[in-house]
Amino acid sequence: MSIKLTDAAKFFVEEPHQIDAWNWLQSQLTPETLESFSVKYRSKPKPQTETANTWDGVLAAAKQAGAKWPECVAAQWALESGWGKHTSGVNNYFGLKGSGSNVSTQEFINGKWVTIKAGFIDFPDLQTCICYLVDRWYKDFGRFKGVNRASSRNECARLLVKEGYATDPDYATKLIQIMDRQLQNIGEKEDANPHNNNFNPWSPFTYRITPNITYGELTLNQEARRFTKQYQCDTAKELCLFLEKVRKQFGNKPLIITSASRPEPINAQVGGAKNSEHTYSAPSKGAIDFYVDGVSVHTVQDWCDKNWPYSLGYGAPKGFVHLGIREGKPRVRWDY
């Protein structure tokens, strides 16, 4: 049975039998043949046009290199290099580690950020750097299944984290935020059924958590208020499901959300209580302040008091009802 050497090289993973086969083949070649091979192997032709160190330039080069989601490559370039202003190794715009420049970098290890020294690969140009990234992370490489397998650009960002590209727990969120800003959600299709438990921190603000409540209503459509953990989305959905019951109870009149996600330091800036439920800072912790248009807020508050088993703040005198959950899900009531 014959074999192509390019296939043998592609699937080489340093198994003992593979190493023996390559060593045997090398022993059969003359020094002159090996020298000619080395020259051809190492002499990669330069691209006909230089890749522009811009979003559009990286996007085009990534697409040409074979990335199914070139916008994710461009977002990595923007995040890792400060939009092309900084590199780790020479022409290394993606923080690709390996033999080359030895520099300081920050890694998220054991729950905290630490500064370490690490080696970063040097590249002759941006195009070569992009091809290296796409070949080893986006395409299948050896036994590694590339992130081209993602069904959307957002999933591509999440797969990069899952496969160990970065230690930053918010890496995918940051990539998605960059893509959303640059592309204005173009290309990200909402689910045919928006209520199938797919709500996550990276969902677009137009995403309907429940039939009448969008993600943007909980965040004021502000990136700084976006959730960063899945448990925050799960808590928010539980609150929204109850709000749908409230809406139905009062004739499906519009339900107005006045405050929901307030991560620090936003919570402190708006005068929120320390450790407020609005910070969503722990599993089963969250809150939404609201009123129903055209219905007495005291009437709505009374109904919620009887039917909501967890945390409720009597905010009716101030024009809203505070619906909340805190760790352990105790029944709690208080006045403002």
Side-chain angles (χ1 to χ4, degrees), residues 147-329:
V147 297
N148 270 351
R149 71 184 190 271
S151 60
S152 70
R153 67 170 184 250
N154 286 1
E155 184 186 1
C156 181
R158 293 192 285 272
L159 280 176
L160 283 168
V161 176
K162 182 179 179 181
E163 298 295 348
Y165 187 91
T167 59
D168 182 355
D170 297 325
Y171 190 78
T173 301
K174 293 173 183 177
L175 293 182
I176 291 167
Q177 289 174 349
I178 291 171
M179 290 188 287
D180 283 348
R181 285 196 298 269
Q182 288 295 113
L183 305 170
Q184 299 179 346
N185 290 328
I186 297 172
E188 274 301 291
K189 296 181 180 178
E190 292 191 43
D191 298 305
N193 176 5
H195 319 302
N196 58 2
N197 296 317
N198 284 338
F199 176 43
N200 60 65
W202 311 283
S203 296
F205 287 150
T206 54
Y207 186 94
R208 291 188 179 276
I209 303 171
T210 55
N212 296 287
I213 302 174
T214 66
Y215 190 8
E217 290 179 86
L218 303 189
T219 59
L220 301 182
N221 293 302
Q222 296 175 4
E223 289 293 338
R225 294 175 183 256
R226 181 184 285 273
F227 296 133
T228 59
K229 304 290 188 297
Q230 184 59 44
Y231 65 71
Q232 296 171 322
C233 296
D234 296 339
T235 299
K237 184 166 185 177
E238 184 173 359
L239 289 161
C240 289
L241 286 171
F242 183 80
L243 289 182
E244 289 288 352
K245 294 180 181 179
V246 176
R247 194 177 189 277
K248 184 177 181 180
Q249 172 65 25
F250 295 100
N252 289 319
K253 293 184 178 181
L255 188 147
I256 313 301
I257 294 174
T258 60
S259 184
S261 176
R262 297 198 313 243
E264 296 295 1
I266 292 174
N267 179 62
Q269 291 169 352
V270 299
K274 186 177 181 181
N275 202 32
S276 168
E277 293 171 344
H278 284 285
T279 62
Y280 288 78
S281 58
S284 297
K285 178 180 178 180
I288 297 175
D289 295 345
F290 73 98
Y291 65 90
V292 178
D293 192 29
V295 180
S296 166
V297 68
H298 291 275
T299 301
V300 175
Q301 180 174 278
D302 289 343
W303 189 87
C304 292
D305 195 8
K306 295 175 183 177
N307 292 279
W308 179 244
Y310 308 127
S311 176
L312 188 81
Y314 297 137
K318 295 189 175 184
F320 65 89
V321 178
H322 173 96
L323 194 74
I325 305 176
R326 59 185 62 179
E327 295 173 272
K329 294 188 172 181

Side-chain angles (χ1 to χ4, degrees), residues 50 64 69 79 83 107 113 121 129 137-138 141 164 190 206 256 262 264 288 322:
E50 184 177 351
Q64 183 179 22
W69 305 105
L79 180 60
W83 297 84
E107 299 285 352
W113 287 100
I121 304 172
C129 182
W137 287 94
Y138 284 73
F141 183 74
E190 292 191 43
T206 54
I256 313 301
R262 297 198 313 243
E264 296 295 1
I288 297 175
H322 173 96

